[in-house]
Every structure is written in C-alpha cells, then in structure tokens.
C-alpha cells in the first residue's frame, strides 16, 4: 500500500467496536418504522418477506467479508471495485455509496423527529423541527471530528441502548400474542411482495459502514469477517422476532405510524410505548452516528486518490480525523434532512446501495483470479457461486424499483461523472497553485 494512503489516520476501532458498529449501523433504522409498511404490503406473509430478504443480504455480506479480509485501507466498496474494475467504476461506486449514506441519514433523521413527536408533538413541524434537526447534525459532527476512538465509544453506548429495549420488547411481547392474527389470507401479489422485500433491504443494510473505515480499524483483515457475519446473524434473528411480536399483538399494524410503540402500549401500557419510543430515539441516533463516521471516509478515500479535491483528504493535526470531509458531508446531510421525508429518502438510498452491492459482489471472482490482488484472510466456500447468486438477487431487487426512482439514481451517477471530470480538469491548476 502506498505509504501516503491513510497516513493521517489512527487505528482506534477494535474488534468489539467493529461488531458494535455493524449492529449500530443496521438495527434501529428501518426496524422501528417498517414493520407496519411491510405488513400493509404482505400481511402475515411479511414474516416470509424478512426471510426472503435475509437470503440475498447474507450472500452479499459473505462477499463483503471476503473482500474486507483483503484490504486494510479506508474506502470499503470504493477500494474493492476500483481494484477489480478500474478507477472509473470505483469512483461511481464510492460516489453512490456516499450518496446512499447521506440520504439514509436524511431518512433516519426524519424518523428520529417522528419518534420524538411522541413526547413533544410540536417538534414535527415548523421551526422546532428545523432546530432539532440542526442540533442533531451539529452534535454528531462534533463527536466525529474529535477522534475516531471517541466516536467508537459513543457508538458502543448507543448499541447497548438500542439492543436492550428491543430484546425487552420481544421477551415480553411473546406472552401477549393472539394466534388468530397469523391467519393466512390470500397471498399478496408478486409486485406487493417484492416491494415489501425491497423495503426490507433498507432495514437489513448498513453493514457496509463497518468496512468503509478499515484504515482506522486494528487488524481489519482478521476482524472484519467476524464482525460482519456475527452481526448479520444477530440482526436477522432479532428482526424476525420483532415482526412476529408486532403481528401477534397489534391488529391495526398496517396503519400504525409507530408500530413498535403502539404494540408495546397494548401489553405495557403508556409506559411501554414511552420506553420503546425512547429506545427508538437512542437507536436511530446511534445509526446516525455510524453514518456520520462512514460517509466522510468515502470522500476522504476518493480525495486521496485524486478523484476529488485534495482538501477532502486532509486530516486534523490533533484529532487525526478527515475534518473537511466530515464537515462537507454534514452540511449535505442537513440540507437533505430538511428537504426530504422518511420514505422518499429511504427509497433512493436503497436503490443506490443495491447498485454498489451488485458491483462489489462482482468484484469477488475478479480479484480471486488476479494474482496481484492482496491475499484474502477469509475465503467464501463456493465463492464464485455465492457471488453470482448475490449479484443475481441484487439485479432482481433492482428490477422492482420504479422508473421515477431509478431515474433519480441515474441523474446522481451522471452528477458524479461531472464532478469527476471537473476535478480532473482543475487538478493541474490546483497543482500549480
């Protein structure tokens, strides 16, 4: 690896911090908002939708685990696809992954405001909404500016804060199940069921956050596969149990805006709804912190390789964080949060990350055949087959996207090309300056 690459960073993320980062990046995002929306599409068959969605996600995670065991540089999918397919494809993947992160932040920050509205209804509209969103963005920006180790500590605390209420929700809710709620009616149509699965991709994704800051992880080639595989296993089991309890305890699940809080209110009373809503606030905030950690590292990695302005590759002399990349990402996140809504930002984020997932999976067999590629500390059994299946499933999920949504992603990819071209044209001028 070039000695100049990641030279300003410190390796402050440890093995269990990495597992917490995986869990923090996935849990507490869609799971607090999607159970009702998925049930509205697929009814009791929504449990099968979780399982169907988990299959491609696990295959994709296996691909990420092998590739993560090859590299110790910051960038994740951007590095993998650049090494496999060249700088152009790598840039587009990095750009789309960054876009997926900032739009996911906007989606979740709006969800945060919605759950805060349980305690403070006025916060969901007007200047109170603007003020709260601004405070959230500023606080998370500061946490991530002052050092990756501090950001990891905050992430660990949020991980515990989100797991405890979810486990309490499941452990208590199973005693209040109404078996009649699982009565199978006519199966949903293909479009409704596939739309439910596509929405759930958002709830299961986020694991890629863990591989992006590899340049700040201790021994990432050894710890990355462990964190990814253990993390997705925990998530899959917990998600199915949460949906099972929601279906069994909340007859009006399809129309609920806060499904976990409404379900908890039925078997815990008002206190239960308050605890789950508070857990949602903690959970979503933890995920926002993970996104604030990962997204700027993509800009940092691209700037280090001269695909974005070099200033984005600068690290703070005291805190050793990519401070300018963090500030730029935070500003974009704030604008998108104020402009968008939970579902609109969620859909765009899902499509962009699926494109990046597909190309990352395709990189597995390419790098296996390349003798100059770094050795893998973890190899997927039947890796070529797994990568092919994962790629096929990504394409299937993408095929269920609406054209209006896909068009926005194509426009974003085109914008990325313009940014790359402008940077290349201005690079000699920057060098002379």
């Amino acid at each position: 690896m070039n000695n100049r690459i990641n030279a300003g960073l410190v390796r402050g993320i440890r093995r269990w911090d990495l597992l917490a980062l995986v869990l923090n990046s996935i849990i507490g995002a869609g799971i607090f908002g999607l159970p009702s929306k998925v049930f509205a599409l697929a009814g009791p068959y929504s449990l099968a939708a979780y399982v169907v969605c988990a299959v491609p996600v696990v295959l994709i995670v296996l691909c990420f685990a092998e590739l993560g065991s090859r590299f110790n540089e910051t960038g994740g999918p951007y590095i993998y696809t650049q090494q496999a397919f060249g700088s152009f494809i790598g840039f587009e993947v990095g750009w789309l992954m960054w876009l997926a992160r900032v739009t996911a932040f906007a989606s979740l920050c709006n969800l945060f405001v919605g759950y805060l509205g349980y305690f403070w209804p006025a916060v969901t509209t007007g200047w109170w909404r603007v003020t709260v969103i601004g405070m959230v963005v500023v606080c998370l920006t500061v946490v991530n500016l002052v050092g990756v180790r501090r950001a990891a500590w905050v992430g660990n605390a949020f991980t515990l804060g989100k797991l405890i209420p979810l486990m309490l929700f499941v452990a208590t809710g199973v005693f209040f199940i109404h078996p009649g709620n699982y009565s199978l009616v006519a199966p949903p149509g293909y479009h409704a069921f596939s739309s439910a699965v596509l929405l759930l991709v958002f709830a299961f994704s986020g694991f890629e956050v863990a591989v992006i800051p590899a340049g700040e992880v201790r021994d990432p080639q050894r710890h990355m596969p462990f964190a990814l595989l253990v993390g997705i296993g925990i998530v899959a089991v917990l998600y199915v149990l949460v949906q099972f309890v929601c279906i069994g305890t909340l007859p009006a699940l399809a129309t609920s805006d806060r499904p976990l809080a409404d379900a908890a209110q039925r078997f815990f009373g008002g206190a239960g709804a308050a605890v789950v809503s508070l857990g949602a606030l903690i959970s979503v905030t933890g995920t926002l912190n993970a996104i604030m950690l990962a997204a700027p590292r993509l800009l940092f990695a691209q700037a280090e390789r001269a695909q974005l302005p070099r200033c984005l590759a600068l690290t703070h002399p005291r805190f050793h964080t990519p401070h300018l990349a963090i500030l730029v990402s935070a500003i974009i996140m704030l604008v998108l949060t104020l402009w968008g809504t939970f579902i609109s930002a969620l859909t765009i984020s899902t499509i962009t990350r699926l494109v990046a997932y597909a190309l990352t999976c395709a990189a597995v067999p390419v790098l296996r055949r390349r003798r100059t590629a770094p050795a893998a500390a973890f190899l997927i059994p039947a890796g070529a087959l797994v990568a092919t299946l994962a790629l096929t499933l990504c394409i299937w999920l993408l095929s269920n996207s609406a054209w209006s949504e896909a068009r926005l992603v194509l426009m974003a990819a085109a914008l990325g090309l313009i940014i790359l071209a402008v940077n290349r044209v201005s690079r000699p001028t920057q060098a002379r300056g």
Side-chain angles (χ1 to χ4, degrees):
M1 180 177 70
N2 188 329
N3 289 332
R4 295 177 59 191
I5 297 297
N6 299 176
L9 305 177
V10 295
R11 295 191 179 273
I13 301 175
R14 302 169 184 174
R15 178 186 179 95
W16 296 105
D17 300 328
L18 197 57
L19 175 59
L21 182 58
V22 174
L23 295 173
N24 207 12
S25 303
I26 308 174
I27 298 175
I31 194 59
F32 281 92
L34 288 179
S36 57
K37 296 173 177 60
V38 175
F39 186 81
L41 288 167
Y45 294 92
S46 57
L47 286 171
Y50 277 85
V51 176
V52 170
C53 183
V55 172
V57 171
V58 169
L59 295 178
I60 295 167
V61 168
L62 284 169
C63 294
F64 272 76
E66 178 171 321
L67 293 172
S69 76
R70 290 185 183 273
F71 299 94
N72 63 357
E73 305 169 50
T74 293
Y78 165 64
I79 299 297
Y80 310 154
T81 52
Q82 185 190 56
Q83 292 292 318
F85 306 117
S87 61
F88 171 75
I89 297 297
F91 175 83
E92 278 294 345
V93 168
W95 166 252
L96 288 175
M97 287 294 290
W98 178 81
L99 182 63
R101 293 291 86 206
V102 296
T103 52
F105 186 99
S107 174
L108 295 176
C109 204
N110 277 295
L111 186 62
F112 173 90
V113 173
Y115 268 96
L116 186 59
Y118 178 85
F119 303 99
W120 183 13
V123 80
T124 59
T125 59
W127 284 106
W128 280 120
R129 174 178 178 269
V130 174
T131 301
V132 168
I133 289 172
M135 290 176 61
V136 169
V137 173
V138 169
C139 289
L140 294 179
T141 301
V142 172
V143 166
N144 283 273
L145 279 173
V146 298
V148 70
R149 189 74 202 125
R150 291 180 178 85
W153 290 340
V154 171
N156 294 345
F158 277 120
T159 301
L160 289 175
K162 70 176 60 179
L163 287 176
I164 290 172
L166 284 174
M167 291 188 293
L168 181 64
F169 174 84
V170 170
T172 306
V174 294
F175 294 102
F176 295 87
I177 293 292
H178 295 283
N181 291 1
Y182 303 100
S183 300
L184 296 180
V185 293
Y190 171 80
H191 179 72
F193 187 80
S194 59
S195 296
V197 173
L198 183 62
L199 275 179
L200 286 175
V201 171
F202 178 84
F204 274 97
S205 59
F207 53 84
E208 71 278 4
V209 166
V211 302
I212 292 171
E216 294 161 284
V217 176
R218 296 184 183 180
D219 197 4
Q221 291 100 325
R222 186 161 64 93
H223 297 325
M224 201 68 73
F226 165 82
L228 288 169
L229 296 175
V230 173
I232 199 63
I234 293 172
V235 167
V237 172
L238 185 59
Y239 277 10
V240 171
L241 291 175
V242 167
Q243 185 73 13
F244 180 79
V245 170
C246 284
I247 294 173
T249 59
L250 187 60
L253 176 59
T255 58
S256 173
D257 292 326
R258 291 186 286 263
L260 272 68
D262 291 344
Q265 188 168 19
R266 295 184 67 85
F267 53 82
F268 268 145
V275 168
V276 170
S277 295
L278 181 61
L281 289 172
I282 295 171
S283 182
V284 172
T285 306
T287 305
L288 292 174
N289 181 64
I291 294 172
M292 187 67 79
L293 170 67
R297 270 66 182 182
L298 288 166
L299 298 184
F300 169 83
Q302 291 176 308
E304 279 198 313
R305 291 159 181 80
Q307 292 189 309
L308 287 177
R310 289 194 185 278
C311 62
L312 294 174
L314 295 176
T315 54
H316 195 278
R318 177 183 174 186
F319 302 124
H320 303 286
T321 54
H323 56 295
L324 291 181
I326 291 172
L327 290 173
V328 169
S329 296
I331 291 170
I332 300 299
M333 290 170 180
L334 177 60
V335 171
L336 289 177
T337 303
L338 294 174
W339 173 72
T341 63
F342 175 57
I343 287 297
S344 64
L346 179 153
T347 306
I348 296 171
S349 175
T350 299
I351 295 172
T352 53
R353 73 181 64 190
L354 276 173
V355 172
Y357 287 172
L359 289 168
T360 299
C361 294
V364 171
V366 173
L367 292 178
R368 279 193 170 196
R369 293 193 299 267
R370 187 165 297 167
R371 294 182 179 180
T372 57
F378 169 80
L379 285 172
I380 313 169
L385 176 61
V386 169
T388 301
L389 288 173
L391 177 60
T392 303
L393 289 166
C394 285
I395 294 171
W396 172 71
L397 289 170
L398 283 168
S399 71
N400 290 284
S401 304
W403 166 243
S404 59
E405 297 156 356
R407 183 174 54 197
L408 289 175
V409 176
L410 290 174
M411 292 169 61
L415 177 60
L417 291 181
I418 294 171
I419 293 172
L420 179 62
V422 170
N423 184 68
R424 286 183 174 177
V425 170
S426 62
R427 178 66 60 180
T429 302
Q430 295 172 11
R432 287 194 298 269

